[in-house]
Amino acid sequence: MTTRHWLQTGRRAFLLIMLAFFLAPFLWLATTAYKPSSAIFSIPPTFAFSPTLDQFRTIFRLFDVWSLLRSSVLIATGSVILSLALGVPAGYALARSKSRYAMGIAYFLMAIRMIPSVAALIPFYLMMRDIGLLGSWMSVVLINSMLNSAFVTWLMFSYFRGLPPELEEAALTDGCTQFGAFFKVALPAVMAGIIACVLFCLMFSWNDFLYPMFLTRLESKPLSVALLSAYGTKDITWGTLGALAHFSTIPIVIVILFLNRYFVQGLTKGIH
Amino acid sequence: MAFATRRKLFLAIMAVPVVAYVLVVGIWPLAQGIWYSLYDYNLIRPQRTKFAGLDNYIEIITDPVSRQALINTAIFTVGAVFFELLLGFALALSLWRDDRFNRLALALILIPVTITPLVVGLIFKGLLAADYGMIGYFLAQWGLTDPRGLLADQHAALATLIFIDVWEWTPLVALILLAGLKALPSDILEAASVDGATGFQKLRIIVIPLMLPAILLALILRTVDAFRVFDTVYVATGGGPGNATNTLMLHAVKQGLEFFNIGRASAIANLTLLIIALIAAGFVMMIRHADRKANGK
């Protein structure tokens, strides 16, 4: 029994060290937002500081935070809605179809995920320029949703496949319409999958900066791009970046921490 | 109309929009990218566009900067994936038992995965800076690193980027492997314990062979993602110092959207896509083989 006890202690110790390793850098960024600049730039670096909200005042003075936030929210919501509207019905159709093409289409959509973002960006950039959408948040939604809807289809395909079709068949024989059987019977049974899809789309479009960096203009710029352009500018310190990260990063981290169950389940399901 | 026909029609109508969308917004631009890559096409002087055949591709191989980017990307991918798999497996084994501590630990450990990759780059740039960085300052003071910091060191920058990638993505690898561990049939493991197998023997003879599909899945996912890395590298080093950390994606963006050399950028992007497709196809074949073995042929 003692070896087992020691093994368990060792495992705990290893996990605690790993937790410190994976959390410390994040906590460092979060706390810089509450440090006065003197504490950030002290030589040698110091761990002790008296908390202040100065950094938050600075970012509201330097940035139009609400406009950045609005763009981020528009891009994220637009992408979530479009991706789910396209992907969820398709996932259902592919899971229920007996056609021999269904599996092939599902794999094709999964493979879309592997496209390097840059390979799609350059031709897409020229396409948006030609149809006059360059510079709008819409163009970012369009390309985000291309990658997201393909992933949503694949993920929902695995969720719907795990759902026995008997209930829908019973509803159909009872005179329910086909859409009704999908919408009222199958859909409520895969709510966990829907939540996972929302989380993934949200995370992807909120965190993405390559597409908005080249596709948006000043007034349609989201937080992620502002964060990058802020770096290296005069008056910008790690503290202001930390404060800005409170808007750009920490909301997503908290949402996923609370809905962790769905995130983990969707991740392991979507990968298989 | 018979029900079977109506059913087919309904399912087709549900699936067509996403396929059409992906073809128009994804595949069509990609096909155009192949077209562009065959031309000497620069946005600064579009009137002088002319057919170039495979010149853009040949230049990737002959141009030392492009070749360096290809080598850097390969080193980055192999290094990052190797350490992520090693550390991820150790983490998955420690998280295997389903108790409250482990569930909480898993939730917290996933935080790096959810952080904006751009912010990950900034965090480490801040921590490792030699002048004010919480870690970089001491490393430089004690003479352990270049006085300008790890990310500015020609020889250490790429290794540092691998370290950052390991920090960011090991939790994801651990999660995939943990799902594989939890799906193992417990009766076989118990039988092995009864027969007096040691922990290491169980690992080598039962766990790893049965988990091979999950391991390969983690491998394919991380290899593909590491090969097209952009965000963290762009922020942390921008490809420098010199070209020491220039990767294929970074190179493509610089060529295409900073120098507007669309032909060359498209060729680099297409080559990357081709390599990724080949890697993925290789892994898929290995997964099929492993699946067949794990399920007893």
Side-chain angles (χ1 to χ4, degrees), chain B residues 79-91 166 169-170 173-174 177 214-220 222:
Chain B
V81 173
F82 175 77
F83 288 110
E84 279 158 24
L85 208 62
L86 218 58
L87 194 58
F89 199 64
L91 263 176
V166 168
W169 296 111
T170 299
V173 175
L177 297 180
I215 294 174
L216 287 172
L217 227 42
L219 261 174
I220 186 178
R222 282 308 308 144

Side-chain angles (χ1 to χ4, degrees), chain A residues 4 8 11-12 14-16 18-19 21-23 25-26 28-29 35 40-47 82 86-87 89-90 92-94 96-98 105 108-109 112-127 129 141-143 145-146 149-150 153 168 172 178-179 182 203 206-210 213-214 224-225 227-228 231 238 241 245 248-249 252-253 256-257 260 263-264 267-268 271-272, chain B residues 3 6-7 10-12 14-15 17-19 21-30 32-33 36 41 43 87 90-91 93-95 97 99 101-102 105-119 122-127 131-134 137-138 163 166-167 170-172 175-176 179 217 220-221 224-225 228 230-231 234-235 249 252-253 256-258 260 262 265-266 269-270 272-273 276 280:
Chain A
R4 178 163 254 188
Q8 178 64 8
R11 230 178 266 152
R12 280 276 160 91
F14 175 68
L15 279 177
L16 284 173
M18 284 292 111
L19 272 175
F21 172 66
F22 286 115
L23 293 182
F26 172 67
W28 169 78
L29 183 76
K35 289 179 190 172
I40 297 167
F41 289 116
S42 71
I43 295 179
T46 166
F47 291 93
L82 187 58
L86 286 168
Y92 173 78
L94 293 176
R96 288 292 177 257
S97 168
K98 294 183 182 75
I105 295 174
F108 163 73
L109 289 171
I112 291 290
R113 199 191 157 281
M114 296 177 181
I115 296 175
S117 7
V118 183
L121 173 64
I122 293 167
F124 185 81
Y125 176 90
L126 299 173
M127 190 164 134
R129 189 196 58 176
V141 170
L142 284 178
I143 192 154
S145 303
M146 191 270 291
S149 64
T153 310
E168 295 153 50
L172 285 171
Q178 292 196 60
F179 187 76
F182 157 69
M203 190 172 106
W206 190 276
N207 283 352
D208 178 44
F209 87 96
L210 175 69
M213 178 162 70
F214 291 105
S224 53
V225 178
L227 209 58
L228 184 69
Y231 174 77
W238 290 107
L241 280 177
S248 73
T249 301
I252 296 290
V253 171
I256 290 180
L257 211 52
N260 187 264
F263 183 73
V264 169
L267 212 52
T268 43
I271 290 161
H272 283 269
Chain B
F3 177 73
R6 271 192 295 136
R7 183 71 179 158
F10 172 73
L11 292 178
M14 299 266 278
V18 83
V19 176
Y21 189 82
V22 166
L23 287 178
V24 172
V25 182
I27 301 301
W28 170 241
L30 278 183
Q32 277 185 306
Y36 292 146
Y41 177 25
L43 282 185
L87 194 58
L91 263 176
L93 284 175
S94 332
L95 288 166
R97 181 205 285 260
D99 57 27
F101 177 84
N102 282 355
L106 178 66
L108 290 175
I109 265 177
L110 280 175
I111 284 181
V113 176
T114 62
I115 296 180
T116 322
L118 156 84
V119 171
L122 286 174
I123 287 178
F124 281 95
K125 202 167 174 170
L127 281 175
D131 37 9
Y132 305 108
M134 211 55 113
Y137 175 83
F138 294 107
F163 172 82
V166 168
W167 181 83
T170 299
L172 186 74
L175 178 70
I176 299 168
L217 227 42
I220 186 178
L221 203 74
V224 166
D225 280 355
R228 52 179 194 169
F230 176 78
D231 298 22
Y234 181 80
V235 176
M249 288 295 88
V253 168
L257 297 162
E258 283 171 23
F260 299 107
I262 301 295
S266 300
N270 292 342
T272 314
L273 185 59
I276 286 177

